[in-house]
Amino acid sequence: MPHIDLLELPYFQGISIESLVSLIDILEPVQFEAGVEVITQGQLTPPPLYIVTRGSVGIRKTTPDGGQRTLAELTGPTLFGEIELFCQLCPVASVQTLSPVEAFVLNRSTYNKLFRSQNQAVMQFTFNVARVACHRLAMAHEMLAQHVGDHDLAQLRHSVSAKMSEEQNLMTTTGAFRVPDVLT
């Protein structure tokens, strides 16, 4: 599986090829055929993060009426599962392969070990994920402002946060997500 293509992703900016190869070599490689549901929204345990080197996946969310809405289609190199890894949440969306996929798995215990040892690649990766998440949040705010109509967005945010907190049994929160144990 190619490692160099991962340097195209904003998640790996500022990481040397040597550090990236060292990091990836620690991770478990996996392969999936087309049509496999890798992550299921609402499953009881947080899944790992997947770093896709080849293939495509679809990200779907269950709507309040029980339907499915496609949020994104991602093509490698890419990753998914970062919300669940960093927020220690059960899956907030489902991920299904659209083609055969080759990926690496970064599970919670490996991430914690590398983070505690202050592995430079993981520290930069963590910073980069935060930066990408902030960009996504800015886009989500813009989409809400343009498409939600006359709803009180502050009340809507409070309602969604309360529902997520109830469903996830979140005790220590920042917004709607609990603070990961590794950071407390």
Side-chain angles (χ1 to χ4, degrees):
M1 289 190 228
H3 295 36
I4 191 86
D5 291 346
L6 295 175
L7 292 174
E8 297 172 16
L9 295 175
Y11 301 105
F12 297 103
Q13 286 181 349
I15 300 174
S16 71
I17 186 65
E18 296 82 17
S19 293
L20 179 60
V21 169
S22 297
L23 174 62
I24 294 297
D25 286 346
I26 295 171
L27 307 180
E28 173 191 355
V30 293
Q31 296 182 355
F32 300 101
E33 296 298 321
V36 173
E37 189 156 278
V38 179
I39 295 177
T40 303
Q41 180 179 343
Q43 72 187 49
L44 297 179
T45 56
L49 177 138
Y50 292 88
I51 301 169
V52 177
T53 57
R54 189 181 69 98
S56 300
V57 298
I59 312 295
R60 295 184 335 273
K61 181 97 174 143
T62 302
T63 60
D65 65 1
Q68 294 285 311
R69 174 170 283 170
T70 299
L71 301 178
E73 291 183 1
L74 307 173
T75 299
T78 191
L79 58 83
F80 60 89
E82 67 276 23
I83 293 171
E84 293 79 4
L85 179 75
F86 288 106
C87 297
Q88 296 182 13
L89 290 174
C90 295
V92 298
S94 295
V95 179
Q96 184 173 25
T97 58
L98 302 174
S99 69
V101 167
E102 294 179 4
F104 293 98
V105 176
L106 176 58
N107 62 42
R108 166 60 52 195
S109 62
T110 301
Y111 174 80
N112 286 348
K113 178 180 153 194
L114 293 167
F115 190 87
R116 283 189 195 109
S117 72
Q118 298 186 354
N119 176 285
Q120 289 303 308
V122 165
M123 301 305 276
Q124 184 66 48
F125 173 75
T126 301
F127 174 79
N128 290 343
V129 169
R131 190 170 51 200
V132 170
C134 288
H135 284 276
R136 284 188 188 164
L137 182 59
M139 287 175 39
H141 284 173
E142 185 64 27
M143 289 165 48
L144 277 172
Q146 290 183 20
H147 299 288
V148 176
D150 294 331
H151 294 287
D152 179 343
L153 295 182
Q155 180 56 40
L156 179 61
R157 183 183 306 276
H158 175 74
S159 173
V160 169
S161 175
K163 184 175 182 342
M164 287 181 74
S165 296
E166 180 181 291
E167 290 175 357
Q168 296 287 327
N169 190 24
L170 304 178
M171 303 302 261
T172 306
T173 63
T174 58
F177 303 105
R178 75 182 132 161
V179 177
D181 294 337
V182 71
L183 302 177
T184 57

